[in-house]
Amino acid sequence: QVQLVESGGGLVQAGGSLRLSCAASVSIFNINTMGWYRQAPGKQRELVAAITTGGSRNYADFVKGRFTISRDNAKNTVYLQMNSLEPEDTAVYYCHGQVYSLYSSNTDYWGQGTQVTVSS
């Protein structure tokens, strides 16, 4: 079925930038909403940003204008540009896709995660 593969994580100093990529095995036009979640050790998983097929974007409050989610339809890829990274951004970042259904429950797809570590 749908596979999502993240890349671009790594170790960066506070104030630095990273761009995460999520490559989908199908056209992202077939996925109603794609987004990024993150989970730090001992913390709950939380939404970072999401984007719909129509281009509508939603960001978590803690992003505070630092992150930007974007989409490259030709490459079936969603990006998360992260600027002004802080140590509290350290987490495993997961790509997420949701397919809506009028006939059954929505279907969720998850990538394997990519580690982002921000040092102070």
Side-chain angles (χ1 to χ4, degrees):
Q1 196 50 245
V2 176
Q3 293 180 326
L4 305 174
V5 180
E6 305 98 330
S7 63
L11 175 64
V12 65
Q13 294 281 341
S17 299
L18 286 173
R19 188 181 73 164
L20 306 184
S21 299
C22 174
S25 63
V26 300
S27 172
I28 57 177
F29 282 118
N30 297 325
I31 305 175
N32 296 103
T33 301
M34 296 196 68
W36 292 91
Y37 288 74
R38 71 185 188 186
Q39 187 167 19
K43 303 293 181 61
Q44 297 184 49
R45 183 178 61 188
E46 59 186 352
L47 173 70
V48 178
I51 186 169
T52 69
T53 55
S56 298
R57 294 171 171 84
N58 184 50
Y59 295 98
D61 290 340
F62 61 76
V63 170
K64 298 179 180 179
R66 298 180 297 124
F67 296 180
T68 302
I69 188 169
S70 61
R71 186 178 65 205
D72 187 332
N73 297 323
K75 296 182 178 180
N76 295 329
T77 300
V78 172
Y79 302 97
L80 183 67
Q81 179 66 47
M82 304 186 294
N83 299 324
S84 301
L85 284 163
E86 304 167 354
E88 65 185 6
D89 296 316
T90 296
V92 177
Y93 284 70
Y94 296 93
C95 185
H96 170 257
Q98 186 170 75
V99 178
Y100 306 154
S101 175
L102 296 175
Y103 317 108
S104 61
S105 299
N106 297 335
T107 302
D108 294 286
Y109 300 95
W110 294 94
Q112 83 287 350
T114 185
Q115 176 71 47
V116 172
T117 303
V118 184
S119 61
S120 60

